Amino acid sequence: MTKHPIEVITSVERRRRWSREEKERLVAACFEPGAVISEVARAAGIHVSQLFRWRKELCRIEEPSMQVSSTLVPVIVSEAAPAALPVSSDPPTISHPRRKRSDVTIELGRGRRVRVDSDIDTEALGRILDCVLGRR
């Protein structure tokens, strides 16, 4: 039979208060090589979910505000005529045209990406981005 330490709270206050330094120390212990988060939490006498919450709060990357104005970049579209091919006397070989696939990756921040085909309907893309960004 193993004995577990018991904490007796004698004050009126029912919750323990953790300083930022204590939280940072415990979160840093989670990132040590070979560390097991449940063992770190058990040693501190807290639930694993509390440690995950502290880790999320302390490691949060500030996301730029959504009110940042978009910068427009000029685009130049030009038609380049293909060079004339020499006429050959051999009959042309039958080839099946292959569609080149061209993906566009849109970085949304916080590790979120949307990858779409370059010929996607712009209205459909707008609806998708509205949903992903929580505007709908």
Side-chain angles (χ1 to χ4, degrees), residues 12-110:
V12 178
E13 186 174 354
R14 295 182 181 259
R15 293 183 178 210
R16 289 182 284 178
R17 301 288 180 196
W18 296 88
S19 69
R20 182 169 178 93
E21 291 79 24
E22 291 172 316
K23 292 177 184 180
E24 288 174 351
R25 181 183 54 80
L26 290 170
V27 169
C30 295
F31 291 112
E32 292 292 322
V36 179
I37 295 180
S38 60
E39 291 176 3
V40 173
R42 191 176 309 117
I46 60 174
H47 195 271
V48 178
S49 64
Q50 183 69 56
L51 194 52
F52 277 113
R53 186 176 305 122
W54 288 347
R55 188 174 74 171
K56 183 178 178 182
E57 289 171 0
L58 295 173
C59 297
R60 182 178 308 148
I61 298 172
E62 292 299 321
E63 184 178 343
S65 67
M66 298 300 278
Q67 296 179 355
V68 175
S69 63
S70 298
T71 303
L72 298 178
V73 179
V75 176
I76 300 171
V77 179
S78 65
E79 287 188 35
L85 298 173
V87 179
S88 69
S89 59
D90 297 334
T93 57
I94 299 174
S95 65
H96 300 286
R98 296 179 72 189
R99 180 177 175 256
K100 289 186 179 179
R101 182 168 170 84
S102 176
D103 288 343
V104 176
T105 303
I106 302 169
E107 299 282 338
L108 299 173
R110 292 191 306 171

Side-chain angles (χ1 to χ4, degrees), residues 119-127:
D119 62 352
I120 187 170
D121 177 65
T122 55
E123 290 180 15
L125 179 59
R127 289 191 301 269

